[in-house]
């Protein structure tokens, strides 16, 4: 079974041989969520949940400067 090093705690993390780039795994030692970013050799990076503003669902109208707009 392939292994890589956890970027958070530097412990060895076992990755399924069938894993593909973008698959998520977790470190058994520290519990960090990780994502497979490379396959040959296996490389892991910390997985970060997408921020709500990344979805584009909400617009912050209060941050918009209306005074400089011309109609």
């Amino acid at each position: 079974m392939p292994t890589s090093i956890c970027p958070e705690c530097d412990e060895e993390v076992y990755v399924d041989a069938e894993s593909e780039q973008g698959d998520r795994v977790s470190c058994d030692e520290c519990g960090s969520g990780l994502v497979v970013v490379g396959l040959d050799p296996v490389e892991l990076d910390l997985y970060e949940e997408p921020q709500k503003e990344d979805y584009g669902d909400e617009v912050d109208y209060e941050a918009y400067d209306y005074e400089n707009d011309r109609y």
Side-chain angles (χ1 to χ4, degrees):
M1 186 176 290
T3 63
S4 187
I5 301 298
C6 175
E8 187 70 20
C9 69
D10 295 325
E11 288 295 320
E12 193 171 50
V13 177
Y14 294 94
V15 179
D16 188 355
E18 316 269 314
S19 291
E20 297 179 1
Q21 202 166 1
D23 286 354
R24 290 187 283 179
V25 296
S26 63
C27 176
D28 291 334
E29 187 66 29
C30 71
S32 291
L34 306 169
V35 62
V36 178
V37 295
L39 295 173
D40 191 23
V42 175
E43 294 179 52
L44 301 172
D45 198 3
L46 291 173
Y47 175 77
E48 298 178 17
E49 291 286 333
Q51 298 297 317
K52 191 170 188 174
E53 58 265 9
D54 289 346
Y55 295 117
D57 292 341
E58 293 184 21
V59 176
D60 185 5
Y61 292 105
E62 292 178 13
Y64 191 74
D65 183 12
Y66 291 98
E67 292 191 26
N68 291 330
D69 277 352
R70 296 181 183 203
Y71 295 99

XYZ file of all heavy atoms in Angstrom:
563
model
N 0.849 -1.173 0.000
C 0.000 0.000 0.000
C 0.901 1.244 0.000
O 1.797 1.357 0.824
C -0.887 -0.035 1.254
C -1.888 1.064 1.271
S -3.031 1.010 2.681
C -4.022 -0.413 2.291
N 0.650 2.194 -0.912
C 1.479 3.402 -0.981
C 1.305 4.269 0.266
O 0.258 4.264 0.908
C 0.976 4.132 -2.224
C -0.131 3.347 -2.794
C -0.361 2.151 -1.951
N 2.343 5.007 0.582
C 2.297 5.911 1.717
C 2.811 7.284 1.313
O 3.484 7.442 0.297
C 3.159 5.398 2.888
O 4.511 5.343 2.469
C 2.691 4.046 3.375
N 2.476 8.264 2.132
C 2.989 9.611 1.982
C 3.105 10.198 3.378
O 2.740 9.559 4.356
C 2.067 10.451 1.096
O 2.655 11.699 0.817
N 3.590 11.403 3.470
C 3.778 12.057 4.752
C 2.700 13.124 4.959
O 2.427 13.927 4.064
C 5.180 12.708 4.826
C 6.266 11.655 4.630
C 5.370 13.457 6.141
C 6.286 10.571 5.682
N 2.117 13.132 6.145
C 1.110 14.136 6.497
C 1.793 15.495 6.598
O 2.766 15.645 7.341
C 0.456 13.782 7.831
S -0.690 15.039 8.432
N 1.305 16.499 5.867
C 1.924 17.825 5.938
C 1.687 18.531 7.278
O 2.359 19.496 7.593
C 1.269 18.594 4.787
C 0.005 17.884 4.507
C 0.218 16.455 4.897
N 0.765 18.026 8.078
C 0.454 18.644 9.362
C 1.342 18.112 10.493
O 1.885 18.870 11.271
C -1.022 18.413 9.712
C -1.502 19.132 10.935
C -1.605 20.629 10.756
O -1.675 21.118 9.618
O -1.578 21.324 11.776
N 1.504 16.783 10.563
C 2.218 16.201 11.698
C 3.436 15.363 11.296
O 4.102 14.804 12.157
C 1.273 15.352 12.543
S 0.728 13.827 11.738
N 3.712 15.261 10.012
C 4.863 14.529 9.482
C 4.827 13.026 9.737
O 5.859 12.364 9.678
C 6.185 15.113 10.011
C 6.418 16.517 9.513
O 6.038 16.815 8.364
O 6.978 17.331 10.277
N 3.656 12.473 10.015
C 3.520 11.032 10.182
C 3.205 10.381 8.838
O 2.700 11.024 7.917
C 2.406 10.700 11.180
C 2.748 11.019 12.601
C 3.898 10.181 13.149
O 3.968 8.972 12.863
O 4.739 10.761 13.856
N 3.488 9.104 8.740
C 3.223 8.346 7.518
C 1.720 8.090 7.387
O 1.065 7.716 8.356
C 3.982 7.022 7.589
C 4.059 6.292 6.287
C 5.005 5.121 6.368
O 4.892 4.317 7.311
O 5.850 5.022 5.481
N 1.191 8.325 6.189
C -0.227 8.113 5.913
C -0.339 7.083 4.798
O 0.298 7.211 3.753
C -0.914 9.431 5.471
C -2.373 9.195 5.115
C -0.796 10.487 6.559
N -1.139 6.045 5.042
C -1.359 5.024 4.040
C -2.471 5.455 3.098
O -3.516 5.928 3.532
C -1.713 3.690 4.702
C -0.562 3.135 5.499
C -0.447 3.377 6.861
C 0.429 2.397 4.865
C 0.622 2.889 7.585
C 1.509 1.904 5.583
C 1.597 2.151 6.939
O 2.664 1.669 7.639
N -2.221 5.291 1.803
C -3.176 5.689 0.772
C -3.527 4.460 -0.043
O -2.646 3.669 -0.411
C -2.559 6.780 -0.141
C -3.536 7.194 -1.225
C -2.126 7.980 0.685
N -4.795 4.269 -0.321
C -5.258 3.132 -1.106
C -4.567 3.121 -2.465
O -4.428 4.167 -3.110
C -6.773 3.220 -1.282
C -7.383 1.989 -1.922
O -6.638 1.080 -2.323
O -8.620 1.938 -2.019
N -4.136 1.961 -2.907
C -3.437 1.827 -4.190
C -4.310 2.269 -5.358
O -3.796 2.647 -6.412
C -2.976 0.385 -4.390
N -5.606 2.262 -5.185
C -6.547 2.648 -6.238
C -6.868 4.145 -6.209
O -7.667 4.620 -7.014
C -7.849 1.862 -6.077
C -7.648 0.394 -5.787
C -7.613 -0.441 -7.038
O -8.472 -0.224 -7.883
O -6.733 -1.292 -7.144
N -6.265 4.876 -5.287
C -6.561 6.306 -5.148
C -6.216 7.078 -6.408
O -5.296 6.718 -7.141
C -5.782 6.905 -3.972
O -6.268 6.419 -2.766
N -6.978 8.137 -6.626
C -6.753 9.023 -7.759
C -6.512 10.427 -7.240
O -6.831 10.748 -6.089
C -7.971 9.014 -8.690
C -8.231 7.659 -9.307
C -9.455 7.679 -10.206
O -10.086 8.745 -10.366
O -9.771 6.625 -10.751
N -5.970 11.262 -8.081
C -5.740 12.657 -7.716
C -7.075 13.298 -7.363
O -8.073 13.129 -8.066
C -5.089 13.387 -8.883
C -4.359 14.616 -8.478
C -3.447 15.117 -9.585
O -3.381 14.552 -10.665
N -2.746 16.180 -9.312
N -7.104 14.014 -6.236
C -8.325 14.661 -5.773
C -9.060 13.874 -4.709
O -9.965 14.403 -4.067
N -8.699 12.599 -4.509
C -9.335 11.802 -3.452
C -8.946 12.354 -2.091
O -7.850 12.870 -1.903
C -8.911 10.336 -3.550
C -9.565 9.608 -4.705
O -10.433 10.197 -5.378
O -9.185 8.443 -4.948
N -9.858 12.219 -1.138
C -9.592 12.701 0.210
C -9.298 11.527 1.135
O -9.921 10.467 1.032
C -10.768 13.504 0.740
C -10.885 14.830 0.018
C -11.924 15.698 0.631
N -13.241 15.210 0.201
C -14.382 15.734 0.567
N -14.405 16.737 1.399
N -15.498 15.252 0.132
N -8.344 11.731 2.023
C -7.981 10.762 3.047
C -7.797 11.525 4.351
O -7.823 12.757 4.356
C -6.682 9.991 2.687
C -6.876 9.160 1.433
C -5.506 10.928 2.516
N -7.613 10.802 5.443
C -7.337 11.488 6.706
C -6.146 10.832 7.380
O -5.864 9.655 7.189
C -8.557 11.465 7.623
O -8.895 10.150 7.969
N -5.454 11.626 8.168
C -4.293 11.155 8.901
C -4.786 10.472 10.173
O -5.538 11.057 10.952
C -3.384 12.333 9.251
S -1.970 11.881 10.258
N -4.372 9.220 10.386
C -4.779 8.491 11.583
C -4.166 9.089 12.840
O -4.722 8.973 13.922
C -4.384 7.018 11.471
C -5.187 6.288 10.410
O -6.318 6.709 10.118
O -4.674 5.279 9.876
N -3.024 9.742 12.710
C -2.325 10.281 13.872
C -2.947 11.588 14.367
O -3.270 11.726 15.533
C -0.851 10.498 13.533
C -0.004 10.901 14.702
C 0.121 9.814 15.762
O 0.047 8.619 15.432
O 0.288 10.188 16.924
N -3.119 12.577 13.479
C -3.607 13.893 13.915
C -5.042 14.178 13.490
O -5.637 15.151 13.927
C -2.676 15.002 13.422
S -2.737 15.290 11.639
N -5.602 13.353 12.593
C -6.985 13.529 12.161
C -7.186 14.565 11.068
O -8.317 14.865 10.700
N -6.112 15.128 10.537
C -6.231 16.142 9.484
C -6.852 15.556 8.230
O -6.562 14.420 7.846
C -4.864 16.706 9.124
O -4.345 17.466 10.178
N -7.713 16.347 7.577
C -8.253 15.979 6.285
C -7.224 16.291 5.217
O -6.653 17.385 5.191
N -6.955 15.321 4.353
C -5.925 15.478 3.331
C -6.501 15.176 1.963
O -7.495 14.462 1.836
C -4.752 14.526 3.623
C -4.143 14.632 5.018
C -3.187 13.475 5.267
C -3.441 15.956 5.195
N -5.856 15.686 0.944
C -6.259 15.428 -0.432
C -5.037 14.956 -1.203
O -3.925 15.436 -0.989
C -6.898 16.686 -1.081
C -5.924 17.828 -1.160
C -7.473 16.369 -2.442
N -5.242 13.966 -2.074
C -4.165 13.449 -2.910
C -3.911 14.452 -4.034
O -4.805 14.737 -4.826
C -4.530 12.060 -3.502
C -3.434 11.553 -4.415
C -4.811 11.059 -2.388
N -2.699 15.000 -4.080
C -2.355 15.990 -5.107
C -1.351 15.449 -6.115
O -1.119 16.068 -7.145
C -1.832 17.307 -4.498
C -2.919 17.998 -3.698
C -0.611 17.081 -3.645
N -0.750 14.314 -5.837
C 0.201 13.697 -6.755
C 0.142 12.198 -6.612
O -0.184 11.674 -5.553
N 0.479 11.482 -7.697
C 0.373 10.027 -7.662
C 1.704 9.297 -7.799
O 1.822 8.161 -7.358
C -0.586 9.549 -8.762
C -2.032 9.990 -8.583
C -2.848 9.613 -9.807
C -2.628 9.376 -7.326
N 2.689 9.887 -8.401
C 3.946 9.173 -8.619
C 5.126 10.073 -8.318
O 5.650 10.704 -9.243
C 4.014 8.655 -10.053
C 5.169 7.689 -10.268
O 5.629 7.088 -9.280
O 5.608 7.543 -11.421
N 5.522 10.218 -7.091
C 5.073 9.523 -5.882
C 3.802 10.148 -5.327
O 3.419 11.258 -5.692
C 6.238 9.738 -4.908
C 6.780 11.071 -5.302
C 6.626 11.129 -6.808
N 3.170 9.429 -4.400
C 1.945 9.935 -3.767
C 2.293 11.168 -2.941
O 3.211 11.156 -2.135
C 1.307 8.855 -2.873
C 0.123 9.426 -2.127
C 0.882 7.659 -3.707
N 1.570 12.260 -3.185
C 1.746 13.500 -2.436
C 0.411 13.917 -1.854
O -0.618 13.804 -2.512
C 2.262 14.614 -3.348
C 3.655 14.385 -3.876
C 4.096 15.515 -4.778
O 4.006 16.683 -4.345
O 4.496 15.230 -5.908
N 0.450 14.414 -0.619
C -0.751 14.852 0.075
C -0.642 16.315 0.449
O 0.448 16.824 0.682
C -0.963 14.020 1.342
C -1.114 12.517 1.152
C -1.113 11.813 2.497
C -2.370 12.203 0.375
N -1.784 16.982 0.511
C -1.851 18.359 0.973
C -3.059 18.459 1.901
O -3.968 17.627 1.832
C -1.999 19.317 -0.205
C -1.651 20.751 0.149
O -1.232 21.007 1.297
O -1.789 21.619 -0.724
N -3.083 19.463 2.748
C -4.221 19.664 3.638
C -5.462 19.985 2.815
O -5.410 20.776 1.871
C -3.950 20.799 4.618
C -2.886 20.518 5.667
C -2.593 21.784 6.464
C -3.320 19.408 6.597
N -6.586 19.357 3.180
C -7.849 19.624 2.504
C -8.540 20.773 3.221
O -8.670 20.763 4.438
C -8.753 18.386 2.520
C -10.110 18.656 1.927
C -10.265 18.731 0.556
C -11.214 18.862 2.729
C -11.500 18.999 -0.002
C -12.450 19.127 2.182
C -12.588 19.191 0.812
O -13.812 19.474 0.259
N -8.938 21.765 2.472
C -9.657 22.901 3.027
C -11.047 22.949 2.428
O -11.199 22.901 1.211
C -8.908 24.201 2.739
C -7.538 24.242 3.368
C -6.780 25.517 3.042
O -7.420 26.495 2.612
O -5.569 25.508 3.200
N -12.039 23.038 3.301
C -13.415 23.156 2.835
C -13.552 24.436 2.023
O -13.008 25.468 2.420
C -14.383 23.209 4.021
C -14.502 21.916 4.778
C -15.298 20.866 4.043
O -16.181 21.217 3.224
O -15.037 19.686 4.280
N -14.262 24.386 0.900
C -14.478 25.622 0.136
C -15.240 26.638 0.987
O -16.160 26.283 1.721
C -15.335 25.178 -1.054
C -15.194 23.697 -1.110
C -14.861 23.233 0.272
N -14.830 27.889 0.901
C -15.505 28.952 1.634
C -16.847 29.238 0.987
O -17.021 29.058 -0.213
C -14.644 30.220 1.642
C -13.310 30.029 2.322
C -13.459 29.686 3.789
O -14.277 30.275 4.482
N -12.686 28.729 4.260
N -17.798 29.706 1.768
C -19.140 29.966 1.266
C -19.131 30.934 0.092
O -19.844 30.737 -0.876
C -20.024 30.508 2.384
C -21.470 30.562 2.021
C -22.318 30.865 3.224
C -23.773 30.718 2.863
N -24.632 30.863 4.009
N -18.273 31.967 0.137
C -18.245 32.935 -0.948
C -17.700 32.334 -2.240
O -17.897 32.883 -3.302
C -17.472 34.196 -0.575
C -16.042 33.959 -0.180
C -15.872 33.830 1.323
O -16.877 33.754 2.060
O -14.728 33.786 1.760
N -17.027 31.167 -2.162
C -16.542 30.519 -3.368
C -17.689 30.014 -4.242
O -17.529 29.804 -5.424
C -15.624 29.341 -3.020
C -14.298 29.810 -2.453
O -13.995 31.017 -2.573
O -13.575 28.973 -1.893
N -18.857 29.798 -3.644
C -19.991 29.286 -4.394
C -20.685 30.369 -5.215
O -21.406 30.077 -6.149
C -21.013 28.640 -3.458
C -20.488 27.408 -2.766
C -20.357 27.370 -1.397
C -20.130 26.292 -3.484
C -19.881 26.242 -0.756
C -19.656 25.164 -2.861
C -19.533 25.137 -1.495
O -19.055 24.033 -0.864
N -20.510 31.624 -4.830
C -21.134 32.708 -5.572
C -22.614 32.864 -5.303
O -23.299 33.553 -6.033
N -23.139 32.228 -4.254
C -24.567 32.298 -3.960
C -24.977 33.622 -3.327
O -26.067 34.099 -3.549
C -24.982 31.167 -3.020
C -24.885 29.812 -3.693
O -24.861 29.770 -4.929
O -24.835 28.802 -2.975
N -24.096 34.198 -2.532
C -24.451 35.417 -1.824
C -23.598 36.572 -2.304
O -22.426 36.427 -2.578
C -24.243 35.238 -0.324
C -25.195 34.248 0.288
C -25.026 34.167 1.789
O -24.484 35.122 2.374
O -25.433 33.157 2.356
N -24.221 37.742 -2.394
C -23.520 38.947 -2.778
C -23.552 39.890 -1.584
O -24.603 40.099 -0.980
C -24.190 39.619 -4.001
C -23.511 40.927 -4.336
C -24.178 38.669 -5.184
N -22.421 40.463 -1.246
C -22.347 41.398 -0.132
C -22.649 42.789 -0.661
O -21.765 43.528 -1.072
C -20.962 41.337 0.513
C -20.871 42.188 1.748
O -21.912 42.757 2.155
O -19.771 42.298 2.313
N -23.932 43.160 -0.641
C -24.350 44.441 -1.181
C -23.860 45.608 -0.333
O -23.685 46.704 -0.827
C -25.873 44.488 -1.323
C -26.379 43.545 -2.379
C -27.006 42.354 -2.047
C -26.211 43.831 -3.728
C -27.457 41.484 -3.019
C -26.659 42.973 -4.713
C -27.280 41.798 -4.346
O -27.707 40.951 -5.314
N -23.633 45.373 0.954
C -23.153 46.440 1.828
C -21.732 46.848 1.481
O -21.326 47.977 1.735
C -23.240 46.002 3.282
C -24.663 45.857 3.759
C -24.746 45.382 5.191
O -23.723 45.403 5.896
O -25.842 44.994 5.602
N -20.955 45.960 0.910
C -19.571 46.262 0.558
C -19.476 47.026 -0.766
O -18.425 47.540 -1.114
C -18.764 44.980 0.466
N -20.561 47.127 -1.491
C -20.559 47.781 -2.787
C -20.665 49.293 -2.627
O -21.480 49.793 -1.859
C -21.725 47.257 -3.633
C -21.662 47.675 -5.071
C -20.757 47.095 -5.939
C -22.506 48.661 -5.556
C -20.692 47.471 -7.265
C -22.454 49.047 -6.879
C -21.545 48.459 -7.725
O -21.472 48.834 -9.029
N -19.858 50.038 -3.326
C -19.846 51.496 -3.235
C -20.798 52.063 -4.288
O -20.451 52.221 -5.445
C -18.426 52.021 -3.455
C -18.340 53.523 -3.294
O -19.309 54.125 -2.802
O -17.296 54.080 -3.666
N -22.031 52.389 -3.863
C -23.043 52.879 -4.785
C -22.842 54.344 -5.160
O -23.308 54.801 -6.182
C -24.439 52.725 -4.177
C -24.877 51.292 -4.059
C -24.761 50.605 -2.862
C -25.403 50.623 -5.149
C -25.153 49.290 -2.748
C -25.800 49.301 -5.051
C -25.673 48.654 -3.848
O -26.064 47.355 -3.745
N -22.156 55.107 -4.339
C -22.031 56.540 -4.561
C -21.248 56.880 -5.830
O -21.433 57.934 -6.415
C -21.399 57.214 -3.350
C -22.342 57.173 -2.162
C -21.849 58.067 -1.054
O -21.130 59.025 -1.330
O -22.217 57.782 0.091
N -20.375 56.006 -6.265
C -19.571 56.292 -7.453
C -20.195 55.755 -8.731
O -19.628 55.873 -9.797
C -18.166 55.717 -7.284
C -17.395 56.464 -6.225
O -17.612 57.653 -6.020
N -16.512 55.769 -5.554
N -21.381 55.152 -8.618
C -22.068 54.626 -9.798
C -22.807 55.741 -10.528
O -23.346 56.656 -9.935
C -23.079 53.553 -9.426
C -22.446 52.198 -9.257
O -21.239 52.076 -9.585
O -23.134 51.281 -8.815
N -22.814 55.636 -11.840
C -23.610 56.561 -12.647
C -24.618 55.747 -13.416
O -24.324 54.700 -13.950
C -22.717 57.325 -13.618
C -21.752 58.201 -12.899
C -20.928 58.949 -13.858
N -19.961 59.729 -13.095
C -19.391 60.791 -13.536
N -19.639 61.214 -14.753
N -18.538 61.441 -12.791
N -25.821 56.248 -13.480
C -26.872 55.508 -14.153
C -27.155 56.079 -15.511
O -27.166 57.187 -15.808
C -28.154 55.509 -13.318
C -27.955 54.771 -12.024
C -27.701 55.459 -10.838
C -27.998 53.397 -11.982
C -27.512 54.790 -9.651
C -27.815 52.720 -10.795
C -27.569 53.431 -9.632
O -27.388 52.762 -8.474
